[in-house]
Amino acid sequence: MATMVDVARRAGVSVATVSHVVNETRRVRPATRQAVLDAIDDLGYTPNTLARSLVTARTRSIGLAVSAISNPYFTEILQGVEASALEHGYSLLIADPHDDPDHERKVVQLLHERRVDGVIVAPSADPTELIGYLTRHGVPCVFLDRLVGDGHNHPYDQVGAENAFPLEQLVRHLAELGHRRIGLVAGQPGLSTTAERIDGYRSGLHHSGLPFDPGLLADGHSEARGAEDATHRLLASAEPPTAIITANNAMTIGALRALRAAGRAVPGDLALVCFDDFSWADVFSPGLTAIAQPSREIGSTAVRLLLDRLERPERPPRTVRLPCAFVHRTSCGCAPESGPESAPPSPDRPPPSGKDPVS
Protein backbone atom coordinates (compact mmCIF):
# COMPACT_ATOMS: atom_id res chain seq x y z
CA MET A 1 0.00 0.00 0.00
CA ALA A 2 1.38 3.37 -1.02
CA THR A 3 2.34 5.83 1.70
CA MET A 4 2.69 9.60 1.83
CA VAL A 5 6.46 9.11 1.58
CA ASP A 6 5.97 7.21 -1.69
CA VAL A 7 3.81 10.04 -3.06
CA ALA A 8 6.40 12.64 -2.06
CA ARG A 9 9.18 10.66 -3.74
CA ARG A 10 7.14 10.21 -6.96
CA ALA A 11 6.16 13.90 -7.10
CA GLY A 12 9.65 15.13 -6.17
CA VAL A 13 8.41 17.15 -3.20
CA SER A 14 8.60 16.97 0.57
CA VAL A 15 6.23 14.92 2.72
CA ALA A 16 5.05 18.20 4.24
CA THR A 17 4.00 19.46 0.81
CA VAL A 18 2.01 16.27 0.18
CA SER A 19 0.35 16.72 3.56
CA HIS A 20 -0.64 20.30 2.72
CA VAL A 21 -2.17 19.18 -0.59
CA VAL A 22 -4.07 16.26 0.95
CA ASN A 23 -5.27 18.14 4.03
CA GLU A 24 -5.71 21.54 2.35
CA THR A 25 -3.85 23.18 5.22
CA ARG A 26 -1.77 25.57 3.10
CA ARG A 27 -1.84 26.96 -0.41
CA VAL A 28 0.50 25.10 -2.77
CA ARG A 29 1.59 26.29 -6.22
CA PRO A 30 -0.78 24.89 -8.89
CA ALA A 31 1.96 23.00 -10.73
CA THR A 32 3.24 21.41 -7.51
CA ARG A 33 -0.27 20.55 -6.39
CA GLN A 34 -0.99 18.88 -9.73
CA ALA A 35 2.23 16.85 -9.49
CA VAL A 36 1.15 15.59 -6.05
CA LEU A 37 -2.34 14.74 -7.31
CA ASP A 38 -0.87 12.88 -10.30
CA ALA A 39 1.40 10.89 -7.98
CA ILE A 40 -1.55 10.05 -5.74
CA ASP A 41 -3.49 8.84 -8.77
CA ASP A 42 -0.55 6.83 -10.17
CA LEU A 43 0.18 5.10 -6.87
CA GLY A 44 -3.43 4.64 -5.76
CA TYR A 45 -2.66 6.37 -2.47
CA THR A 46 -5.60 6.60 -0.04
CA PRO A 47 -5.33 9.27 2.66
CA ASN A 48 -5.80 8.20 6.27
CA THR A 49 -9.07 9.94 7.12
CA LEU A 50 -8.57 9.68 10.88
CA ALA A 51 -5.05 11.09 10.70
CA ARG A 52 -6.21 13.88 8.41
CA SER A 53 -9.00 14.84 10.81
CA LEU A 54 -6.44 15.12 13.62
CA VAL A 55 -4.32 17.46 11.50
CA THR A 56 -7.16 19.65 10.20
CA ALA A 57 -9.57 19.40 13.17
CA ARG A 58 -12.17 18.41 10.58
CA THR A 59 -13.75 15.07 9.71
CA ARG A 60 -15.07 16.14 6.28
CA SER A 61 -18.51 14.96 7.30
CA ILE A 62 -21.86 16.75 7.44
CA GLY A 63 -24.84 15.94 9.65
CA LEU A 64 -28.32 16.13 8.10
CA ALA A 65 -31.41 16.20 10.34
CA VAL A 66 -34.73 16.12 8.45
CA SER A 67 -38.07 14.62 9.46
CA ALA A 68 -40.19 12.32 7.29
CA ILE A 69 -37.30 11.18 5.10
CA SER A 70 -39.84 8.89 3.36
CA ASN A 71 -41.58 12.02 2.02
CA PRO A 72 -40.60 12.38 -1.67
CA TYR A 73 -39.92 16.09 -1.16
CA PHE A 74 -37.37 15.49 1.59
CA THR A 75 -35.98 12.50 -0.31
CA GLU A 76 -35.13 14.80 -3.20
CA ILE A 77 -33.60 17.34 -0.81
CA LEU A 78 -31.50 14.49 0.62
CA GLN A 79 -30.34 13.60 -2.88
CA GLY A 80 -29.30 17.21 -3.47
CA VAL A 81 -27.41 17.33 -0.16
CA GLU A 82 -25.71 13.99 -0.76
CA ALA A 83 -24.61 14.78 -4.33
CA SER A 84 -23.19 18.16 -3.37
CA ALA A 85 -21.45 16.80 -0.27
CA LEU A 86 -19.85 14.01 -2.29
CA GLU A 87 -18.75 16.47 -4.97
CA HIS A 88 -16.87 18.42 -2.30
CA GLY A 89 -15.37 15.34 -0.65
CA TYR A 90 -17.71 15.16 2.36
CA SER A 91 -19.59 12.20 3.79
CA LEU A 92 -23.11 12.44 5.21
CA LEU A 93 -24.62 11.32 8.52
CA ILE A 94 -28.43 11.36 8.58
CA ALA A 95 -30.89 11.54 11.49
CA ASP A 96 -34.68 11.93 11.73
CA PRO A 97 -35.85 14.44 14.41
CA HIS A 98 -39.49 13.31 13.96
CA ASP A 99 -40.62 16.96 14.12
CA ASP A 100 -40.23 16.79 17.90
CA PRO A 101 -38.32 19.73 19.45
CA ASP A 102 -36.72 17.67 22.25
CA HIS A 103 -35.75 14.79 19.96
CA GLU A 104 -34.49 17.33 17.43
CA ARG A 105 -32.00 18.72 19.93
CA LYS A 106 -30.91 15.19 20.90
CA VAL A 107 -30.22 14.00 17.35
CA VAL A 108 -28.27 17.19 16.53
CA GLN A 109 -26.27 16.68 19.73
CA LEU A 110 -25.57 13.10 18.63
CA LEU A 111 -24.38 14.29 15.22
CA HIS A 112 -22.19 16.91 16.91
CA GLU A 113 -20.70 14.26 19.18
CA ARG A 114 -19.81 12.29 16.05
CA ARG A 115 -17.58 15.27 15.20
CA VAL A 116 -19.36 16.36 12.03
CA ASP A 117 -17.97 19.63 10.70
CA GLY A 118 -21.45 21.17 10.59
CA VAL A 119 -25.13 20.31 10.40
CA ILE A 120 -28.01 20.97 8.03
CA VAL A 121 -31.40 20.94 9.74
CA ALA A 122 -35.05 21.23 8.72
CA PRO A 123 -36.19 22.67 12.06
CA SER A 124 -39.34 21.81 13.99
CA ALA A 125 -42.11 24.26 14.82
CA ASP A 126 -40.26 25.19 18.04
CA PRO A 127 -36.48 25.14 17.50
CA THR A 128 -35.68 27.06 20.70
CA GLU A 129 -33.76 24.17 22.34
CA LEU A 130 -31.99 23.39 19.08
CA ILE A 131 -30.80 26.97 18.59
CA GLY A 132 -29.70 27.09 22.22
CA TYR A 133 -27.56 23.98 21.76
CA LEU A 134 -26.07 25.19 18.46
CA THR A 135 -25.22 28.57 19.99
CA ARG A 136 -23.70 27.20 23.21
CA HIS A 137 -21.45 24.79 21.35
CA GLY A 138 -20.68 26.93 18.30
CA VAL A 139 -21.93 24.31 15.82
CA PRO A 140 -21.96 25.56 12.21
CA CYS A 141 -25.50 25.08 10.93
CA VAL A 142 -27.72 25.76 7.93
CA PHE A 143 -31.50 25.66 8.23
CA LEU A 144 -33.37 24.39 5.19
CA ASP A 145 -37.00 24.41 4.04
CA ARG A 146 -38.51 25.64 7.33
CA LEU A 147 -36.81 28.94 8.02
CA VAL A 148 -36.31 30.42 11.46
CA GLY A 149 -36.95 34.12 11.81
CA ASP A 150 -39.38 36.06 13.98
CA GLY A 151 -38.50 35.83 17.65
CA HIS A 152 -35.26 33.92 17.03
CA ASN A 153 -32.11 36.02 16.89
CA HIS A 154 -29.54 33.65 15.42
CA PRO A 155 -26.46 33.80 13.20
CA TYR A 156 -27.36 30.86 10.94
CA ASP A 157 -27.64 30.60 7.17
CA GLN A 158 -30.93 29.42 5.69
CA VAL A 159 -32.31 28.20 2.37
CA GLY A 160 -35.85 27.48 1.29
CA ALA A 161 -38.34 27.92 -1.51
CA GLU A 162 -40.63 30.86 -2.00
CA ASN A 163 -43.93 29.97 -0.36
CA ALA A 164 -46.35 32.90 -0.33
CA PHE A 165 -46.21 33.94 -3.98
CA PRO A 166 -46.65 30.43 -5.46
CA LEU A 167 -49.64 29.76 -3.19
CA GLU A 168 -51.11 33.09 -4.29
CA GLN A 169 -50.70 31.94 -7.90
CA LEU A 170 -52.81 28.86 -7.19
CA VAL A 171 -55.58 30.92 -5.59
CA ARG A 172 -55.64 33.46 -8.39
CA HIS A 173 -55.69 30.74 -11.03
CA LEU A 174 -58.70 29.08 -9.39
CA ALA A 175 -60.43 32.44 -9.01
CA GLU A 176 -59.91 33.15 -12.71
CA LEU A 177 -61.73 29.87 -13.41
CA GLY A 178 -64.74 31.20 -11.53
CA HIS A 179 -64.26 29.65 -8.08
CA ARG A 180 -65.48 31.82 -5.21
CA ARG A 181 -65.12 29.37 -2.33
CA ILE A 182 -61.54 28.14 -2.30
CA GLY A 183 -60.43 26.00 0.62
CA LEU A 184 -56.90 25.49 1.93
CA VAL A 185 -55.71 22.38 3.76
CA ALA A 186 -52.78 23.93 5.62
CA GLY A 187 -49.71 22.41 7.23
CA GLN A 188 -48.48 22.05 10.79
CA PRO A 189 -48.98 25.22 12.84
CA GLY A 190 -45.77 26.95 13.88
CA LEU A 191 -43.76 26.09 10.76
CA SER A 192 -42.61 29.00 8.62
CA THR A 193 -43.77 27.14 5.49
CA THR A 194 -47.29 26.88 6.90
CA ALA A 195 -47.47 30.55 7.90
CA GLU A 196 -46.09 31.77 4.56
CA ARG A 197 -48.45 29.60 2.51
CA ILE A 198 -51.42 30.85 4.54
CA ASP A 199 -50.19 34.40 3.88
CA GLY A 200 -50.10 33.59 0.16
CA TYR A 201 -53.61 32.12 0.34
CA ARG A 202 -54.99 35.25 1.96
CA SER A 203 -53.10 37.49 -0.48
CA GLY A 204 -54.49 35.51 -3.42
CA LEU A 205 -58.03 35.91 -2.12
CA HIS A 206 -57.49 39.64 -1.63
CA HIS A 207 -56.11 40.20 -5.14
CA SER A 208 -59.02 38.17 -6.55
CA GLY A 209 -61.60 40.26 -4.72
CA LEU A 210 -62.66 37.36 -2.49
CA PRO A 211 -63.22 37.56 1.27
CA PHE A 212 -61.24 35.44 3.69
CA ASP A 213 -63.51 32.85 5.34
CA PRO A 214 -61.89 31.08 8.34
CA GLY A 215 -64.23 28.15 7.68
CA LEU A 216 -62.37 27.44 4.44
CA LEU A 217 -58.99 27.14 6.18
CA ALA A 218 -58.43 23.68 7.69
CA ASP A 219 -55.40 22.29 9.55
CA GLY A 220 -54.09 19.16 7.84
CA HIS A 221 -51.03 19.02 10.15
CA SER A 222 -48.69 18.37 7.18
CA GLU A 223 -49.59 14.67 6.94
CA ALA A 224 -52.02 12.48 4.99
CA ARG A 225 -54.34 11.42 7.81
CA GLY A 226 -54.69 14.98 9.09
CA ALA A 227 -55.49 16.21 5.57
CA GLU A 228 -58.05 13.45 5.09
CA ASP A 229 -59.89 14.59 8.23
CA ALA A 230 -59.53 18.26 7.26
CA THR A 231 -61.01 17.61 3.80
CA HIS A 232 -63.98 15.78 5.31
CA ARG A 233 -64.58 18.81 7.54
CA LEU A 234 -64.49 21.17 4.57
CA LEU A 235 -66.91 19.02 2.60
CA ALA A 236 -69.31 18.81 5.56
CA SER A 237 -69.53 22.59 6.05
CA ALA A 238 -72.75 24.46 5.31
CA GLU A 239 -71.12 26.09 2.28
CA PRO A 240 -68.41 23.69 1.11
CA PRO A 241 -65.61 24.83 -1.20
CA THR A 242 -65.74 24.29 -4.93
CA ALA A 243 -61.93 24.10 -5.04
CA ILE A 244 -59.32 22.90 -2.55
CA ILE A 245 -55.60 23.64 -2.30
CA THR A 246 -53.41 21.22 -0.34
CA ALA A 247 -50.23 22.69 1.13
CA ASN A 248 -47.89 19.71 0.65
CA ASN A 249 -47.73 16.39 -1.19
CA ALA A 250 -48.57 14.17 1.78
CA MET A 251 -51.72 16.15 2.39
CA THR A 252 -52.66 15.83 -1.28
CA ILE A 253 -52.85 12.06 -0.80
CA GLY A 254 -55.09 12.50 2.25
CA ALA A 255 -57.37 14.92 0.42
CA LEU A 256 -57.71 12.53 -2.53
CA ARG A 257 -58.70 9.72 -0.16
CA ALA A 258 -61.37 11.91 1.44
CA LEU A 259 -62.75 13.00 -1.92
CA ARG A 260 -62.91 9.41 -3.13
CA ALA A 261 -64.68 8.33 0.05
CA ALA A 262 -67.20 11.16 -0.40
CA GLY A 263 -67.78 10.22 -4.04
CA ARG A 264 -66.55 13.60 -5.28
CA ALA A 265 -64.93 13.61 -8.72
CA VAL A 266 -61.97 15.86 -9.57
CA PRO A 267 -62.34 18.25 -11.33
CA GLY A 268 -65.99 17.54 -12.24
CA ASP A 269 -67.35 18.06 -8.72
CA LEU A 270 -64.44 19.93 -7.16
CA ALA A 271 -61.10 21.33 -8.35
CA LEU A 272 -57.96 20.19 -6.51
CA VAL A 273 -54.49 21.77 -6.78
CA CYS A 274 -51.46 21.27 -4.58
CA PHE A 275 -48.28 22.87 -3.31
CA ASP A 276 -45.55 20.26 -3.96
CA ASP A 277 -45.26 18.43 -7.21
CA PHE A 278 -44.10 14.82 -7.05
CA SER A 279 -42.93 12.26 -9.58
CA TRP A 280 -46.26 10.48 -10.03
CA ALA A 281 -48.52 13.56 -9.99
CA ASP A 282 -48.98 13.30 -13.76
CA VAL A 283 -50.01 9.64 -13.45
CA PHE A 284 -53.26 10.54 -11.67
CA SER A 285 -56.33 11.06 -13.79
CA PRO A 286 -56.73 13.97 -13.97
CA GLY A 287 -53.13 15.08 -13.70
CA LEU A 288 -52.53 17.27 -10.66
CA THR A 289 -51.93 20.98 -11.14
CA ALA A 290 -49.14 21.75 -8.68
CA ILE A 291 -46.38 24.01 -7.47
CA ALA A 292 -43.02 22.32 -7.97
CA GLN A 293 -40.32 23.19 -5.44
CA PRO A 294 -36.61 23.15 -6.40
CA SER A 295 -35.93 20.47 -3.79
CA ARG A 296 -32.59 19.20 -5.06
CA GLU A 297 -31.35 22.75 -5.49
CA ILE A 298 -32.40 23.51 -1.91
CA GLY A 299 -30.27 20.57 -0.74
CA SER A 300 -27.21 21.49 -2.81
CA THR A 301 -27.49 25.16 -1.82
CA ALA A 302 -27.57 24.18 1.85
CA VAL A 303 -24.26 22.34 1.41
CA ARG A 304 -22.65 25.29 -0.37
CA LEU A 305 -23.80 27.65 2.38
CA LEU A 306 -22.40 25.35 5.06
CA LEU A 307 -19.03 24.90 3.36
CA ASP A 308 -18.80 28.66 2.83
CA ARG A 309 -19.53 29.12 6.53
CA LEU A 310 -16.77 26.66 7.46
CA GLU A 311 -14.30 28.56 5.29
CA ARG A 312 -15.45 32.04 6.38
CA PRO A 313 -16.94 31.84 9.88
CA GLU A 314 -17.06 35.64 10.16
CA ARG A 315 -19.33 36.09 7.12
CA PRO A 316 -22.78 37.62 7.85
CA PRO A 317 -25.60 35.03 7.75
CA ARG A 318 -27.57 34.68 4.53
CA THR A 319 -31.12 33.61 3.75
CA VAL A 320 -31.57 32.22 0.23
CA ARG A 321 -35.00 31.97 -1.38
CA LEU A 322 -35.40 29.83 -4.50
CA PRO A 323 -38.30 30.23 -6.95
CA CYS A 324 -40.91 27.53 -7.55
CA ALA A 325 -42.60 26.53 -10.82
CA PHE A 326 -46.31 26.33 -11.63
CA VAL A 327 -47.03 22.95 -13.27
CA HIS A 328 -50.33 23.22 -15.12
CA ARG A 329 -52.19 19.94 -15.58
CA THR A 330 -55.96 19.33 -15.48
CA SER A 331 -57.12 18.80 -11.87
CA CYS A 332 -57.86 22.54 -11.69
CA GLY A 333 -60.57 22.08 -14.31
CA CYS A 334 -58.89 23.58 -17.36
CA ALA A 335 -56.47 22.19 -19.90
CA PRO A 336 -52.97 23.66 -20.28
CA GLU A 337 -52.68 25.92 -23.30
CA SER A 338 -49.37 24.52 -24.61
CA GLY A 339 -48.85 20.84 -23.96
CA PRO A 340 -49.33 18.83 -20.79
CA GLU A 341 -47.41 21.25 -18.57
CA SER A 342 -47.34 25.03 -18.79
CA ALA A 343 -47.60 28.10 -16.63
CA PRO A 344 -50.79 30.15 -16.36
CA PRO A 345 -50.73 33.89 -16.98
CA SER A 346 -48.55 35.52 -14.33
CA PRO A 347 -50.22 37.71 -11.72
CA ASP A 348 -49.64 41.41 -12.30
CA ARG A 349 -46.82 41.65 -9.79
CA PRO A 350 -43.41 39.97 -9.45
CA PRO A 351 -42.57 37.43 -6.75
CA PRO A 352 -40.84 38.61 -3.55
CA SER A 353 -37.20 39.50 -4.12
CA GLY A 354 -35.72 37.44 -1.32
CA LYS A 355 -33.33 35.36 -3.37
CA ASP A 356 -29.68 35.57 -2.40
CA PRO A 357 -27.69 33.59 -5.00
CA VAL A 358 -24.91 31.38 -3.78
CA SER A 359 -21.92 30.99 -6.05
Side-chain angles (χ1 to χ4, degrees), residues 74-120:
F74 280 114
T75 300
E76 290 187 3
I77 282 183
L78 169 59
Q79 291 170 349
V81 170
E82 183 178 41
S84 185
L86 183 62
E87 177 186 351
H88 291 91
Y90 280 75
S91 60
L92 197 61
L93 278 69
I94 306 170
D96 188 339
H98 301 296
D99 271 334
D100 176 80
D102 185 54
H103 190 61
E104 171 180 71
R105 193 268 306 161
K106 289 178 180 176
V107 299
V108 169
Q109 179 178 343
L110 179 62
L111 291 170
H112 181 219
E113 290 172 351
R114 294 290 184 92
R115 295 176 57 81
V116 295
D117 294 334
V119 294
I120 297 171

Side-chain angles (χ1 to χ4, degrees), residues 16 93 119 124 131 171 192 202 248 315 342:
L93 278 69
V119 294
S124 67
I131 292 175
V171 174
S192 66
R202 298 188 66 151
N248 78 3
R315 179 179 54 75
S342 64

Side-chain angles (χ1 to χ4, degrees), residues 19 155 207 265 276 296 356:
S19 176
H207 282 89
D276 262 358
R296 292 196 184 201
D356 178 8

Side-chain angles (χ1 to χ4, degrees), residues 209-227:
L210 300 175
F212 170 69
D213 180 352
L216 292 175
L217 176 61
D219 176 12
H221 215 70
S222 297
E223 45 98 19
R225 181 56 185 271

